[in-house]
Amino acid sequence: MRTTMTKNRAILVYGTILILLLQIPAYFLLRQDVEGLLLYMFLMLLLVLTLWRGTVFGFISSLVFIFITGSTLLYTGISGSMTFLNSTFSMQIFFIYGIILLLLILCAGKMHELMKEQENYLKKLQEDVRKYVAIDVETGFDNETRMYISVNEEMRRADRHKHTFVFMVLKIENYRKFQQLYGAKEVQHLWQQLSQRIQQTVRQTDKKFRFREDHIGLLLIDTTDEHMEVIYDKLDQALKNHQLLNEKWVTLRYKTSFFTYHPLKESTFDELLEELEREMKTSAL
């Protein structure tokens, strides 16, 4: 939080300096004729590009612009030919314009860096929250981090006590389409209903996870392959039909797969989960 406030203050300071410095070219250029207005427009364009792309891009673009415009102004002063820069616009004014432009680019570039750092910091905070907050708000299930911890612990326990367990994955098909059709409130209602029905269907000692946006994991302790047909039937009856907030019913479809862990199995959980992902492409609930 303190880091965020510090960066916000720094952005505010550089933004204030940028606005104050902008008053200098605005005062001198907007009192000129068309050429002054054009130079001010180019200055604003370069600032926007710098805020968007960063200091290096802004400096290179500014130096190219200063070189081309300065060369044109110098040439017209020597040859007396007509261009958009008339005789009242002197090299001295353009020299000051160039210095102020580079100062503005420095300020805008620093603001770009600070905003990028702030954006990356906020992304890291969001990722930390997602990773370390154990409970999924919509379902009350554990998250992906807790899933890895729990399953690996259960694998070690199974190795010690020589028992088996089943890990099962359910993936809601067309989840994105459901979000688009029905909106955020219906999605929240969907997960509340699914979590309630799963809690009622499996044992309280079994562990439940929501480890991706549309994935549910079930750690079925002391379970073997022969129980899976009954579990599939119960889940199918409990989860297939969903009542919307407007009391209409929709049918949900799931991809599913499971593995049975036997003591001292050589595969890691990552490898077993990867295998489940491949199997889910063809297996349906």
Side-chain angles (χ1 to χ4, degrees), residues 4-36:
T4 304
M5 291 176 66
T6 303
K7 290 187 185 299
N8 284 338
R9 280 198 295 268
I11 292 170
L12 180 61
V13 168
Y14 278 100
T16 304
I17 294 171
L18 186 65
I19 292 169
L20 291 174
L21 283 174
L22 269 174
Q23 307 312 306
I24 300 172
Y27 177 77
F28 287 103
L29 294 176
L30 297 180
R31 297 173 67 187
Q32 303 288 329
D33 294 328
V34 177
E35 62 271 14

Side-chain angles (χ1 to χ4, degrees), residues 18 21 98-108:
L18 186 65
L21 283 174
I99 292 174
I100 293 172
L101 173 60
L102 294 178
L103 288 173
L104 288 167
I105 293 298
L106 274 174
C107 283

Side-chain angles (χ1 to χ4, degrees), residues 149-165 261-265:
I149 294 170
S150 297
V151 175
N152 280 298
E153 284 178 351
E154 191 61 28
M155 289 169 72
R156 289 192 291 270
R157 194 170 77 88
D159 292 340
R160 289 196 305 270
H161 300 290
K162 303 296 185 290
H163 74 87
T164 63
F165 69 86
Y261 184 82
H262 297 281
L264 304 176
K265 198 169 188 175

Side-chain angles (χ1 to χ4, degrees), residues 58-176:
F59 258 121
I60 293 172
S61 302
S62 299
L63 291 173
V64 170
F65 171 71
I66 290 170
F67 175 77
I68 293 172
T69 309
S71 299
T72 304
L73 181 60
L74 184 62
Y75 175 76
T76 58
I78 295 171
S79 65
S81 60
M82 295 296 294
T83 64
F84 74 91
L85 291 172
N86 64 34
S87 58
T88 64
F89 199 90
S90 66
M91 282 296 294
Q92 288 82 359
I93 294 176
F94 185 74
F95 178 73
I96 296 170
Y97 169 85
I99 292 174
I100 293 172
L101 173 60
L102 294 178
L103 288 173
L104 288 167
I105 293 298
L106 274 174
C107 283
K110 187 63 178 177
M111 283 186 67
H112 170 84
E113 291 172 14
L114 289 167
M115 288 188 290
K116 271 292 180 187
E117 288 175 11
Q118 183 80 314
E119 182 184 355
N120 292 334
Y121 181 70
L122 291 174
K123 283 182 180 177
K124 183 179 181 301
L125 286 179
Q126 290 171 350
E127 181 63 24
D128 288 344
V129 169
R130 189 194 66 79
K131 185 175 181 181
Y132 295 113
V133 175
I135 303 300
D136 176 66
V137 176
E138 292 179 316
T139 60
F141 295 168
D142 287 341
N143 69 357
E144 185 174 8
T145 302
R146 291 292 305 164
M147 179 183 75
Y148 274 87
I149 294 170
S150 297
V151 175
N152 280 298
E153 284 178 351
E154 191 61 28
M155 289 169 72
R156 289 192 291 270
R157 194 170 77 88
D159 292 340
R160 289 196 305 270
H161 300 290
K162 303 296 185 290
H163 74 87
T164 63
F165 69 86
V166 170
F167 183 78
M168 178 182 178
V169 175
L170 294 167
K171 177 186 176 183
I172 304 174
E173 290 196 80
N174 302 316
Y175 179 69
R176 292 289 173 85

Side-chain angles (χ1 to χ4, degrees), residues 43-55:
L43 182 145
M44 295 302 296
L45 176 62
L46 289 168
L47 286 181
V48 171
L49 289 173
T50 304
L51 288 169
W52 177 40
R53 298 293 298 274
T55 308

Side-chain angles (χ1 to χ4, degrees), residues 196 198-208 221:
Q196 287 176 14
I198 289 171
Q199 295 279 17
Q200 292 166 0
T201 304
V202 300
R203 296 168 300 187
Q204 291 297 316
T205 53
D206 295 329
K207 297 183 180 179
K208 303 93 183 172
I221 298 168

Side-chain angles (χ1 to χ4, degrees), residues 259-276:
F259 69 78
T260 303
Y261 184 82
H262 297 281
L264 304 176
K265 198 169 188 175
E266 293 183 1
S267 301
T268 65
F269 179 53
D270 282 318
E271 292 169 343
L272 294 168
L273 193 59
E274 212 174 291
E275 188 177 336
L276 288 189

